[in-house]
Amino acid sequence: MSQDKRQKRDLHALNPDGMVLCNPRDKEAAHRAEVEGIATDDHSAVTCRNCLDLLYKLSKEKRNQ
Ligand SMILES: [Zn+2]
């Protein structure tokens, strides 16, 4: 399989505040994500590794509560 260098951009997850999960303090990033459609509430569609990591940790924490 050959890897296309012009990959689609990663799809990020949004946290409950509407911020990008892997960059929750950056309002600009949240705005860009919204405008450019690179963030989603659909966690099964997320491709950003950092977001997936955080989603995994969050769901684990929830289970422990
Ligand atoms: Zn992300």
Side-chain angles (χ1 to χ4, degrees):
M1 247 190 274
S2 69
Q3 277 231 322
D4 191 346
K5 278 179 187 163
R6 294 161 302 150
Q7 284 174 329
K8 273 198 276 178
R9 255 191 286 186
D10 278 339
L11 201 56
H12 298 272
L14 292 171
N15 72 13
D17 299 323
M19 303 296 269
V20 178
L21 199 58
C22 64
N23 200 2
R25 277 176 228 161
D26 190 343
K27 282 188 184 166
E28 266 300 310
H31 179 69
R32 267 202 312 273
E34 198 184 338
V35 170
E36 297 174 21
I38 55 166
T40 178
D41 285 327
D42 182 3
H43 290 174
S44 62
V46 172
T47 58
C48 168
R49 282 187 152 249
N50 292 333
C51 284
L52 286 172
D53 232 41
L54 289 163
L55 283 174
Y56 178 71
K57 277 182 200 157
L58 284 175
S59 69
K60 236 169 117 184
E61 271 171 30
K62 257 188 214 160
R63 235 172 287 153
N64 288 339
Q65 274 170 9

